[in-house]
Every structure is written in C-alpha cells, then in structure tokens.
Amino acid sequence: MAARAKAMKAAGVDVVSMSLGEPDMDTPEHVRRAVQEAVDDHWSHYGPVAGIPALREAVANYQNSLSGNAIPWIADDVVVSVGAKMAIYNTIQAIINPGDEVIIPMPSWVSYSEMVKLAEGTVVPVQTTFENRYCLTPEELRKALTSKTRLIILCSPNNPTGAVYSHAELEALLAVLREYPDVYILADEIYNELLYTNTQGPITFSSFTDFADRLVIINGVSKAYAMTGYRVGWIMSKNKGFINACIRLQGQQLTCATMVAQKAAEAALTGGKECVDQMREVFASRRKLICSLAAEIPGFKFHEPEGAFYLFPDVSKWGTGDEVAERLLEEAHVAVVSGSAFGCPSCIRLSYAISEDEIRIALARMAALLK
C-alpha cells in the first residue's frame, strides 16, 4: 500500500498515506551528533558479533531501569542485531526446529508467521476477540498449547491493535505457561516507550523473575527514537545457551551491526529521555484527534489504542478490510493497510504517525466515502 501510494503521488495524485509504521519525526539531535563523531573517530571497522560492549551495557541498564532490576540484566545477556526484525528472526531460528509449534495471537505483526515458516515451524494462530481488546486470554492460550508447543510470541503494546497487556493479564497468561516449562516466550517490546494509558511507565515481561531462563525480550531504537533506518535492535535473555546460539548464527549471517549505527544507538540510550517524552506527547495528541474523528463515522468500531501509533477499526459494515482499503486508496486517496495482512480481515490499520493536518484530511475523506 505504501508503494502504491508513492506511485500515485508521483503521478500527481494527492494521497494521504497512513500505511507506514514509523515515526515521522527527525532522529534526535544528540543522536545525529553521535553519528558524526563516530565517523570522525573512525568507527568504520568490524566489531564484535554480539555488539560493542558499551551498547550492550547501555541496553542492559535501560532494561533494568524499566523493571527495577527484577531480573538483573548484564551486558552478556544482550545480542545487538540489525534491527528488532533480525533479532526476532534469529530468535526463532535458534529455538524452532521443524515441526515445533509457535503460538501467535491474531491479529499480529505480518512477519511473525512468515519467520516461523522459514524455520520450518508450525504456526498456531489464535484468533482473539474485539471484546477482549484483541488480547490473548488464558483460556485461549490453554486450548492452543500442546506437547509440540515450543514458543509463544507476545507483542505489547501491540502492532496492529495498539492494545497493551496489563500486569494482571500477563500474570494470568504466565500462570498457564508455568505448567509448560519447555515453552519459550518471545516478548516483542519495540513499542514499550509509546504508552498512553499507564502512568507507571512501560510494562515489561522482565518483571516476572521466574521466567528468566525462557524469556527472550526484543527491543530496539527504531520506534522510540525515530531511528528506523539505523537498523539497530537487540535480543535479551538470561539463557546462556540460547544467547550463544544467537551469536553463532549471527556470526555467519552478518558479522555485526553497523558500527556507526551502534554508536548512535548507544547515544540514544545514554543521552536522556526528553526526546522520547516529547515524541510520546505528540503521538498522544494525534491519538486523541484520530479517535475523536473516527468516533464520528457511523459503524466504525474500535478500541482507543493504549500504545504504539495505530488505530485498528472493524469496518465489516462496509465489507472486508481488503475491499475497504482498496476503495479508500482508489476513491478517497487514503492509503491504509488491510487487517487481512495481520490475520484479522474485518479490520483496517491506520497509522497516526503523520501530522494532525494529514489526519484531519484523511479522516474527512474516509468519512465522506464511507457515509
């Protein structure tokens, strides 16, 4: 959809694109300065496969600040990769053997299932419900678990729904998983800084100490620091065998993440959070705006997103998500993503990582067409 929107814009059509999942802000100034300094200081050679020590330590300190040292993370628990996407891919490759089952609550980010297939694993999609904010329930989890289950993937705040699991909801899921000690948990926390409804700050899986040996936390600088193109993410785990496996795999794959980008990520994590707080405020304002405008469209059914920067309305009143997305692009010149891409064909995903003026224009066009 993003590619089609760009092609239409190039042809002179005024398209508002709500399809991309990346902040529209500039990378913070202190991070950009760090890039210049890294170039001048000749950070241009090969580095350690697992990442430069200073960045690994910064990641560990960052995670400890979120969880209050519930699980005491150290630099050796961290593997720096080329974006959170590669980190997830390598986690799945290191854990999953052919035939192993991976539970993925639907709707989910588009790449999870495909990565499992590349590892020759079996995807076990669990369809969640609108009534439960598209969050997995303990009952749904228990029905999906079998003797072949090896991994569950949970994303909070969620892409595409914007839902956030509460501490109590996570505890209820983990109570079930305690009965299945061979199941790993991949916790995708890439949106954890973009949280609007919890004044206590990010809710992280690393608060649950008894899962330390089978918990894998994925994060990166792409979303919180507007650094999508820098491609720096990381894997965190206390399981040394798993971490060593990821390092061996990555050594054959990519040698190391780009050194200049690693220095930029180090600067991001050690340079204060004022820029993140400012970005969150901007997104919070856009969230309020898009929800108020969407609520005025009869038949639009949605939950207010609690995190990330997506609205995920059910549009089944007008057809499938594919049909609605197609008509919105061709007739209203608004690019959105069909929910079928995320395993929920009755919905569409709207990214509000665009300006408030663009949000107003896009929602007005949508309302006019749908009405």
Side-chain angles (χ1 to χ4, degrees):
M1 293 302 285
R4 289 179 63 188
K6 288 179 181 178
M8 291 173 69
K9 285 183 179 180
V13 180
D14 179 21
V15 177
V16 178
S17 181
M18 308 182 83
S19 57
L20 287 178
E22 66 172 342
D24 58 324
M25 295 84 167
D26 291 330
T27 303
E29 182 181 354
H30 72 280
V31 176
R32 300 198 305 272
R33 285 200 308 268
V35 173
Q36 294 292 338
E37 292 171 4
V39 172
D40 293 340
D41 292 341
H42 307 292
W43 284 87
S44 54
H45 302 283
Y46 289 132
V49 173
I52 59 176
L55 176 55
R56 296 174 77 190
E57 184 176 357
V59 169
N61 291 339
Y62 168 77
Q63 193 66 30
N64 286 330
S65 72
L66 297 181
S67 60
N69 292 294
I71 297 175
W73 300 99
I74 60 174
D76 286 348
D77 302 326
V78 179
V79 178
V80 177
S81 196
V82 181
K85 194 172 196 174
M86 179 66 81
I88 294 169
Y89 178 85
N90 285 353
T91 295
I92 292 171
Q93 286 289 335
I95 293 175
I96 299 304
N97 289 318
D100 286 345
E101 293 180 351
V102 180
I103 294 173
I104 304 178
M106 297 292 177
S108 73
W109 181 49
V110 297
S111 292
Y112 294 148
S113 295
E114 307 313 309
M115 290 177 179
V116 172
K117 294 174 187 175
L118 286 167
E120 299 184 55
T122 300
V123 177
V124 179
V126 180
Q127 190 62 54
T128 58
T129 65
F130 176 86
E131 291 72 23
N132 290 323
R133 306 175 1 267
Y134 298 114
C135 288
L136 183 68
T137 67
E139 295 75 21
E140 292 165 341
L141 172 59
R142 188 176 292 279
K143 288 179 182 178
L145 286 161
T146 74
S147 59
K148 295 181 179 180
T149 306
R150 186 66 169 155
L151 179 69
I152 178 172
I153 301 176
L154 293 170
C155 178
S156 179
N158 185 266
N159 176 11
T161 69
V164 176
Y165 286 87
S166 69
H167 192 280
E169 287 172 326
L170 291 181
E171 178 57 55
L173 294 177
L174 296 179
V176 176
L177 291 172
R178 285 187 178 94
E179 302 173 26
Y180 293 82
D182 295 329
V183 177
Y184 281 82
I185 300 155
L186 190 161
D188 184 351
E189 299 188 355
I190 191 66
Y191 294 98
N192 71 333
E193 290 284 4
L194 300 177
L195 192 66
Y196 313 112
T197 57
N198 182 2
T199 58
Q200 303 302 313
I203 299 170
T204 173
F205 282 80
S206 63
S207 299
F208 301 92
T209 57
D210 59 326
F211 280 84
D213 286 341
R214 53 186 176 124
L215 173 64
V216 181
I217 292 181
I218 304 294
N219 209 330
V221 292
S222 289
K223 312 298 182 179
Y225 292 91
M227 294 172 64
T228 52
Y230 285 73
R231 310 312 303 135
V232 177
W234 51 80
I235 301 165
M236 300 189 73
S237 175
K238 299 299 285 187
N239 187 311
K240 298 305 179 187
F242 166 75
I243 286 291
N244 289 336
C246 288
I247 293 172
R248 289 198 301 274
L249 174 61
Q250 191 158 287
Q252 305 307 320
Q253 235 176 13
L254 51 93
T255 303
C256 64
T258 303
M259 298 301 283
V260 170
Q262 289 193 60
K263 293 301 289 182
E266 178 192 339
L269 293 179
T270 59
K273 282 190 167 184
E274 294 82 2
C275 56
V276 178
D277 295 337
Q278 292 169 1
M279 186 185 303
R280 188 187 306 108
E281 289 177 8
V282 171
F283 281 130
S285 176
R286 294 175 180 178
R287 166 183 172 269
K288 182 177 179 181
L289 174 63
I290 196 172
C291 287
S292 66
L293 295 174
E296 296 174 1
I297 303 177
F300 239 41
K301 190 170 73 168
F302 64 92
H303 292 287
E304 287 193 358
E306 301 162 281
F309 39 68
Y310 308 110
L311 189 70
F312 197 64
D314 185 305
V315 294
S316 54
K317 175 179 178 179
W318 297 284
T320 66
D322 286 350
E323 293 166 342
V324 172
E326 185 69 23
R327 290 196 62 186
L328 285 173
L329 181 62
E330 294 296 334
E331 300 177 40
H333 299 160
V334 177
V336 303
V337 183
S338 170
S340 63
F342 307 98
C344 193
S346 64
C347 297
I348 58 175
R349 191 193 75 172
L350 317 178
S351 169
Y352 52 90
I354 56 176
S355 71
E356 292 195 0
D357 285 344
E358 289 177 303
I359 292 172
R360 290 189 181 93
I361 293 169
L363 270 290
R365 291 179 182 179
M366 294 172 69
L369 176 65
L370 294 175
K371 288 178 182 178

